[in-house]
Amino acid sequence: MKQKLLGMTLEQLQQLVLQEGLPKFTAGQIAQWLYVKKVGSIDQMTNLSKAAREKLSEKYEVGWTLPQEFITSADGTRKYLFPVSCPVGQGYEDSAIEAVMIPDEDRATLCVSSQAGCKMACKFCMTGRQGFHGQLDAAQILSQIITIQESDRLTNIVFMGMGEPLDNYDTLSRVLQCLTESWGFAWSPKRITVSSIGVLPKVKLLLDNHKCHIAISLHDPFPEERLQIMPVQAAYDIRDVVALLKQYDFTGQRRVSFEYTMFSGYNDSKRHADALARMLKGLECRVNLIRFHKIPDFPYETSNTAAIEMFKQRLNANGITATLRASRGEDILAACGMLAGKNKNQGRQE
């Protein structure tokens, strides 16, 4: 199996070319072909000598994963399906992942997956229901960004697709370098948001080593209730996650936000709103309220509009900025918590 170039840092490419007996500056040329010109094969790297290209092609490939299909929502949201093969045990397992492109006036946001399936088993999430099928490598993650039709007009990237990004931290960190360093995509970190359910040690690593925004899936301020719907609470108490975040400065360009899915009669009362406000007091942040999208075998419905509005106003009155996130792509199973590695037989394929 050939080694993938896509997802390598400049330092890794420098080590590679020296190992292959090529000039060190060749690494910069390869990086430009991978991340600026976005070529899909070594043969297209035309400022490398033919001998160098042939030598590299013996052991290496660019490593694109192309989308198998896509489906478009009535609201313009587009969901891409990618076939992937992930290491499991001593072999590889074939699976599928999804990426979601959300257009909004002059913005185009891509929701990127970091794993095939997910270990975290949140009760209200379709991805968590399917279990874990493997870690995506850096090339598989970056392919979601490079190979879609909207690649050149993307304005924002959110790691909120399938999987827990911080459970694949080393690979995520390398991808973030490829996205933000001058030799890579050269994106501003403020165009990127990483979402996590609160894997505490990795949250600290992300905050210490990267400047992108962070979003924490909170969903209930009471630990015993959160545990019932999010097993991760047993390992990483949300109170400890918030305490860690309060040690960092979010008054500048980097932001922290909290995702809060609304379940009728479970986490949408005044008691919950007030407890959440107390928990977040003193932290410069935003709470994104999310309507729950119904999935099979989960007993709760989404909160009604009056309950959501009460919750939002109560947070705002306590000095916590809260907004209701618009639901996008629900008709094609592309909304929050609905990604399962397969397309719904609705929408329009092109």
Side-chain angles (χ1 to χ4, degrees):
M1 183 180 293
K2 292 183 178 180
Q3 191 172 352
K4 299 174 183 179
L5 297 176
L6 184 63
M8 287 190 178
T9 65
L10 181 60
E11 182 180 0
Q12 289 174 317
L13 289 171
Q14 288 171 342
Q15 293 172 354
L16 182 155
V17 298
L18 292 176
Q19 177 183 307
E20 298 299 331
L22 299 172
K24 188 175 181 180
F25 67 79
T26 309
Q29 294 175 314
I30 295 173
Q32 185 176 51
W33 286 112
L34 292 173
Y35 306 121
V36 179
K37 298 182 179 179
K38 301 177 185 176
V39 300
S41 74
I42 293 172
D43 284 342
Q44 293 174 279
M45 300 179 182
T46 52
N47 61 352
L48 276 61
S49 69
K50 184 177 179 182
R53 282 178 276 156
E54 289 177 348
K55 186 176 183 65
L56 288 171
S57 295
E58 290 174 4
K59 298 181 184 177
Y60 306 97
E61 62 182 353
V62 169
W64 278 10
T65 299
L66 297 173
Q68 187 176 65
E69 60 180 289
F70 67 82
I71 190 167
T72 305
S73 166
D75 64 22
T77 298
R78 181 170 287 176
K79 182 171 70 169
Y80 287 87
L81 185 73
F82 292 82
V84 294
S85 184
C86 300
V88 177
Q90 300 300 311
Y92 282 78
E93 180 176 312
D94 291 333
S95 189
I97 59 163
E98 293 167 331
V100 178
M101 193 285 300
I102 306 166
D104 185 13
E105 297 181 354
D106 59 345
R107 292 164 60 94
T109 299
L110 185 67
C111 185
V112 177
S113 292
S114 53
Q115 297 178 314
C118 186
K119 299 177 186 176
M120 301 304 162
C122 295
K123 305 299 184 185
F124 51 89
C125 176
M126 285 292 289
T127 308
R129 291 286 188 87
Q130 67 174 251
F132 179 68
H133 302 292
Q135 303 283 19
L136 299 187
D137 62 36
Q140 290 167 332
I141 294 174
L142 287 168
S143 288
Q144 297 169 63
I145 300 165
I146 287 176
T147 66
I148 65 169
Q149 292 183 11
E150 301 82 5
S151 177
D152 290 335
R153 63 182 184 89
L154 292 175
T155 61
N156 299 83
I157 291 171
V158 293
F159 288 88
M160 296 182 181
M162 300 176 70
E164 164 57 54
L166 298 189
D167 190 43
N168 193 9
Y169 177 79
D170 291 343
T171 300
L172 172 71
S173 182
R174 188 146 46 92
V175 168
L176 292 174
Q177 289 181 64
C178 293
L179 289 171
T180 59
E181 295 289 347
S182 59
W183 48 259
F185 287 73
W187 274 38
S188 166
K190 63 184 181 181
R191 296 171 63 184
I192 302 168
T193 300
V194 175
S195 178
S196 174
I197 59 175
V199 182
L200 193 59
K202 301 302 174 62
V203 170
K204 188 175 190 312
L205 278 177
L206 182 72
L207 292 171
D208 287 343
N209 293 287
H210 298 282
K211 298 300 182 184
C212 55
H213 305 312
I214 186 168
I216 299 295
S217 295
L218 197 154
H219 307 304
D220 199 303
F222 297 109
E224 65 281 2
E225 292 181 13
R226 188 172 189 259
L227 179 62
Q228 297 305 308
I229 56 174
M230 300 180 71
V232 71
Q233 174 65 27
Y236 303 115
D237 193 316
I238 189 60
R239 294 169 295 187
D240 295 334
V241 176
V242 173
L244 173 68
L245 291 167
K246 288 182 178 180
Q247 298 174 27
Y248 292 81
D249 180 15
F250 294 102
T251 59
Q253 292 193 334
R254 181 163 64 175
R255 297 192 306 267
V256 61
S257 58
F258 293 90
E259 313 297 313
Y260 196 97
T261 302
M262 305 288 292
F263 305 114
S264 180
Y266 190 82
N267 67 348
D268 62 349
S269 70
K270 293 178 181 179
R271 180 176 69 96
H272 288 87
D274 293 345
L276 182 59
R278 288 193 300 271
M279 175 181 283
L280 301 182
K281 184 178 180 181
L283 180 61
E284 185 70 28
C285 65
R286 173 184 297 271
V287 175
N288 293 316
L289 303 177
I290 303 168
R291 295 184 188 276
F292 171 57
H293 304 105
K294 186 68 177 175
I295 63 173
D297 302 319
F298 185 74
Y300 295 100
E301 304 285 340
T302 190
S303 303
N304 61 41
T305 300
I308 294 173
E309 187 62 26
M310 176 278 297
F311 203 95
K312 182 176 73 172
Q313 290 181 1
R314 207 162 183 93
L315 288 176
N316 289 340
N318 280 281
I320 305 295
T321 301
T323 57
L324 175 61
R325 177 183 289 170
S327 180
R328 301 291 299 273
E330 187 174 1
D331 59 326
I332 57 168
L333 301 182
C336 292
M338 302 185 81
L339 299 185
K342 58 185 178 181
N343 279 340
K344 185 177 180 180
N345 194 24
Q346 288 185 7
R348 179 168 53 91
Q349 294 187 9
E350 300 173 9

